[in-house]
Amino acid sequence: DAILQVQDLSVVYHSSRGPHTAVGDLNLTLRSGEFVSILGPSGCGKSTLLSVVAGLLPASRGRVMVSGEPVRRPRPDVGIVFQKPTLLPWRTVAGNVMVPIEALRRSPRDYAERCRDLLGLVGLAAFAEHYPDELSGGMQQRVSIARALIHDPALMLMDEPFGALDAMTRERMWLELQDIWLSSRKTVLFITHSIPEAVFLSDRVLVMASTPGRIVQEIVIDLPRPRA
Ligand code: ADP
Ligand code: ADP
């Protein structure tokens, strides 16, 4: 029941200063329903790893499989949240949240209620018809989180999604997310700089080190959790 398999992955960047191995021979398997955090210093290759898993960056060597299929391009059935909000400025908040539904050619009508629920969950119920430039950066980031959840993706990739949020909002998001994991048991690969965040949310924490980026330690978080 592995939903994500990363096998002997290496990613080499080429620049004027020559090749730089950002990720070297990295192996990683996520079982269905697992919440796995990746913790590590800046520049150790976390975002590079996530970009390859997301299909946004090619592997130099090795392979990445999602649901048993090699990843070559972004898949609409995978939810992604980046460090910074990435909304379409010409669409309303609700319109942005509905983008994955349209990409998957599902009926927006079937998701109208879920859209409302998710906007409520991220504290933006009153902003469905507003445009991104009317919202703060933190609010825009919460729209991005709702958008990544609308199609109920089996796999979610999150790259420091709460870095830009204030501490209170961040802790509320932790609790809300736990409720979502509880009700739908998503598989999540979660990048963070925050040890408390990793420990609070994860089943496993993988620690990365740099040059080249690799996993040097695995910590199983064996706390009793209100999991379904
Ligand atoms: P992290 O997310 O852990 O901070 P990154 O994956 O962003 O790390 O970067 C890993 C390494 O690859 C760093 O040394 C960074 O400078 C380098 N790097 C990242 N993106 C590029 C790029 N587009 N071109 C060249 N080097 C890059
Ligand atoms: P845009 O400004 O991009 O045209 P719209 O408001 O027309 O955005 O909405 C685009 C999509 O979002 C449509 O699929 C529509 O069904 C859906 N949508 C719009 N408003 C809501 C809402 N309040 N609740 C749920 N879905 C909505």
Side-chain angles (χ1 to χ4, degrees):
D1 59 344
I3 187 161
L4 170 66
Q5 285 174 288
V6 177
Q7 294 170 338
D8 302 321
L9 175 70
S10 292
V11 182
V12 182
Y13 289 112
H14 295 274
S15 70
S16 52
R17 280 173 294 147
H20 174 74
T21 303
V23 172
D25 284 324
L26 187 144
N27 288 282
L28 169 65
T29 300
L30 261 69
R31 290 185 297 277
S32 183
E34 265 194 311
F35 194 120
V36 174
S37 289
I38 297 200
L39 200 62
S42 288
C44 73
K46 303 183 296 296
S47 294
T48 299
L49 168 65
L50 207 82
S51 298
V52 177
V53 172
L56 296 166
L57 185 71
S60 308
R61 275 197 311 279
R63 58 178 197 164
V64 176
M65 315 272 285
V66 169
S67 302
E69 293 169 21
V71 172
R72 296 202 184 84
R73 60 185 73 84
R75 295 167 55 120
D77 58 335
V78 172
I80 310 180
V81 184
F82 299 99
Q83 278 165 259
K84 291 192 182 139
T86 51
L87 303 179
L88 301 171
W90 60 86
R91 302 204 62 175
T92 61
V93 162
N96 270 283
V97 172
M98 296 299 276
V99 162
I101 298 308
E102 295 163 10
L104 289 163
R105 300 178 190 282
R106 295 188 194 164
S107 161
R109 200 172 298 177
D110 294 344
Y111 287 84
E113 191 181 336
R114 183 171 169 84
C115 178
R116 269 194 303 278
D117 289 350
L118 284 171
L119 286 175
L121 186 141
V122 298
L124 295 173
F127 294 86
E129 306 306 326
H130 287 238
Y131 284 86
D133 68 2
E134 303 173 84
L135 308 183
S136 72
M139 291 161 89
Q140 291 181 28
Q141 185 64 348
R142 286 183 273 147
V143 179
S144 303
I145 293 167
R147 181 185 57 193
L149 289 163
I150 185 76
H151 51 312
D152 198 21
L155 177 62
M156 282 191 75
L157 308 174
M158 306 181 93
D159 189 350
E160 289 186 64
F162 309 137
L165 303 182
D166 64 85
M168 256 173 70
T169 308
R170 178 162 50 233
E171 287 178 23
R172 226 193 89 216
M173 289 291 115
W174 291 0
L175 298 171
E176 300 285 12
L177 275 181
Q178 280 233 318
D179 277 352
I180 293 180
W181 313 144
L182 254 177
S183 58
S184 64
R185 275 204 83 84
K186 284 190 194 320
T187 314
V188 186
L189 186 59
F190 188 92
I191 290 180
T192 181
H193 272 123
S194 159
I195 294 173
E197 186 165 281
V199 170
F200 183 80
L201 290 171
S202 312
D203 299 308
R204 275 194 292 150
V205 180
L206 306 175
V207 182
M208 277 182 78
S210 47
T211 12
R214 63 201 188 283
I215 293 165
V216 291
Q217 195 167 9
E218 170 177 317
I219 301 161
V220 175
I221 309 293
D222 197 11
L223 296 170
R225 277 162 206 279
R227 289 287 178 101

